Amino acid sequence: MSRLTNAATAAARPAPPRLLAVGKRHPADAIAALAAAGQRAFGENYVQEAADKIGALAGLGLEWHLIGHLQSNKAKQAAELFDWVQTVDRTKLVDALAAHRPAARGALNVLVQVNIDDESSKHGCVPSEVPALVAAIRAAPSLRLRGLMAIPAPHAEPERRRDAFARMRRLFDTVAGQDPAIDTLSMGMSDDLELAIAEGATMVRVGSALFGARPAS
Ligand SMILES: *Cc1c(COP(=O)(O)O)cnc(C)c1O
């Protein structure tokens, strides 16, 4: 995506961020087409939908990220299926993922999802809960903490979105200072990836700008 390289250049960043292609509600064929063009990392919101696609596309060597809210009763299936879970927001989930990650799959990469705009209706932990979650994940040998993820409120004013991305960056710098393996700040989507990259996103999650509009569910 040239938008990524352009935004990285504008922000004077040495390299563009990683691109996570978000294929929710698009069929496995659409993902296979993007994979054929060289895209490797794919994000899915729902465990069952992902299970079907991961099964259909096994053998392509793709990397699968869960980016939707994860219920504890689906943690076992998620720990078996995914390479990354970006939506870890409570210690109960840390414990369930750690207990169910199959040893043969290696450590599960995880991000702590932060509710940076403190909207009571949304998922993610509040910033003050981040240190306890970070400690719990780092104490679990079957999990590998890679960083933080956020879905800021879709404010119409770009300055307000940018402010949320900047607050995430400060939180990330604090956490990343503890461990060189913590290398991922996942933020920015089709509408605001330039703002996120300007504030230091290392991974952007892009759906509609890659796949077109999502089919109605
Ligand atoms: C759907 C979704 C995206 C991609 O959104 P687009 O606006 O289509 O780019 C990114 N992150 C999460 C968590 C999503 O649910």
Side-chain angles (χ1 to χ4, degrees):
M1 271 191 109
S2 58
R3 278 177 68 191
L4 298 195
T5 25
N6 292 344
T9 306
R13 295 265 307 270
R18 281 196 84 192
L19 172 62
L20 184 72
V22 176
K24 62 172 175 248
R25 302 214 297 269
H26 290 284
D29 286 355
I31 291 169
L34 216 51
Q39 175 64 25
R40 179 152 182 272
F42 290 88
E44 288 289 334
N45 289 63
Y46 306 102
V47 174
Q48 191 51 53
E49 181 180 340
D52 296 342
K53 293 178 190 171
I54 293 171
L57 301 171
L60 293 186
L62 304 180
E63 180 183 289
W64 294 94
H65 295 231
L66 180 66
I67 60 169
H69 177 66
L70 180 58
Q71 293 171 286
S72 297
N73 64 6
K74 299 236 173 79
K76 178 173 188 290
Q77 199 184 359
E80 292 167 355
L81 277 174
F82 288 94
D83 302 295
W84 292 59
V85 173
Q86 297 204 4
T87 49
V88 174
D89 61 0
R90 56 204 191 277
T91 47
K92 190 182 170 194
L93 194 54
V94 174
D95 297 343
L97 289 169
H100 292 296
R101 178 66 170 177
R105 296 276 275 117
L108 175 68
N109 296 290
V110 300
L111 302 181
V112 172
Q113 182 182 356
V114 182
N115 187 344
I116 195 66
D117 284 320
D118 196 19
E119 299 158 284
S120 50
S121 65
K122 283 241 188 97
H123 299 297
C125 72
V126 296
S128 62
E129 292 171 328
V130 168
L133 276 165
V134 162
I137 295 164
R138 294 183 69 202
S142 59
L143 305 181
R144 182 180 297 128
L145 179 66
R146 297 296 295 271
L148 304 179
M149 177 271 211
I151 314 169
H155 292 300
E157 309 88 345
E159 310 77 50
R160 292 186 69 188
R161 291 201 199 191
R162 187 160 179 161
D163 178 66
F165 290 139
R167 282 181 282 125
M168 278 303 297
R169 168 62 182 275
R170 288 196 287 276
L171 201 54
F172 175 73
D173 285 344
T174 310
V175 174
Q178 302 170 18
D179 182 345
I182 299 174
D183 58 3
T184 303
L185 177 56
S186 167
M187 59 185 193
M189 318 199 298
S190 295
D191 275 352
D192 54 16
L193 64 89
E194 283 85 0
L195 291 174
I197 293 168
E199 293 298 342
T202 71
M203 181 185 288
V204 292
R205 308 178 308 266
V206 181
S208 43
L210 281 172
F211 288 101
R214 279 182 281 279
S217 53

